[in-house]
Amino acid sequence: MHDSDLDNFTTRLLAESLFYDIEYGLVGSVSLIDVEAERELYLASFMPDDGTYLVEEATAWEDEPTLDEDTDVAYALAVDSDVHGRYEVPEAAAQSLLELARGHDLLPSVTVLFEDEEL
């Protein structure tokens, strides 16, 4: 696969991971993980309140994970962040994520969240 094809492929996967399903209250988000530091550095998701796609840079993290359960993640989650960028379309947010991942040698992680904590 040519680099331009791989860029398009990756951008589309990232963009489609940033979704919001109003019927089920599902939100797709993407984190960029620093594997060596074992923590997420950037987070991206759709913001239903204003219809934009937000990319945030982590500024504080939870304590290191203990991995007691199968559902635990193998990296520290961000607990605070600053806005890195706000985008009108998912492809622009995805392109920003791809540039950040390349620039900082980060790996992606996709998470699906429920708005209703009872589900």
Side-chain angles (χ1 to χ4, degrees):
M1 191 177 281
H2 296 255
D3 284 344
S4 62
D5 292 340
L6 187 55
D7 283 354
N8 182 42
F9 180 87
T10 305
T11 301
R12 290 190 63 159
L13 276 177
L14 289 170
E16 290 185 16
S17 298
L18 301 173
F19 66 87
Y20 176 66
D21 184 315
I22 193 166
E23 182 178 353
Y24 294 103
L26 298 173
V27 178
S29 67
V30 175
S31 296
L32 295 179
I33 310 303
D34 181 331
V35 176
E36 288 183 25
E38 297 181 339
R39 62 185 186 184
E40 65 185 346
L41 289 186
Y42 293 92
L43 307 86
S45 61
F46 177 73
M47 305 306 293
D49 295 344
D50 65 5
T52 63
Y53 297 84
L54 182 65
V55 177
E56 300 172 273
E57 181 176 2
T59 57
W61 298 265
E62 67 182 3
D63 295 333
E64 289 192 30
T66 57
L67 300 179
D68 290 336
E69 299 181 24
D70 291 340
T71 58
D72 289 342
V73 294
Y75 53 85
L77 298 172
V79 294
D80 202 4
S81 61
D82 290 331
V83 173
H84 174 78
R86 192 176 291 274
Y87 306 92
E88 297 297 319
V89 295
E91 293 80 9
Q95 188 61 44
S96 175
L97 288 171
L98 185 55
E99 291 170 7
L100 289 166
R102 281 193 176 129
H104 301 285
D105 196 26
L106 306 173
L107 294 179
S109 178
V110 176
T111 304
V112 177
L113 304 170
F114 290 94
E115 282 186 317
D116 185 354
E117 292 181 18
E118 292 181 17
L119 292 177

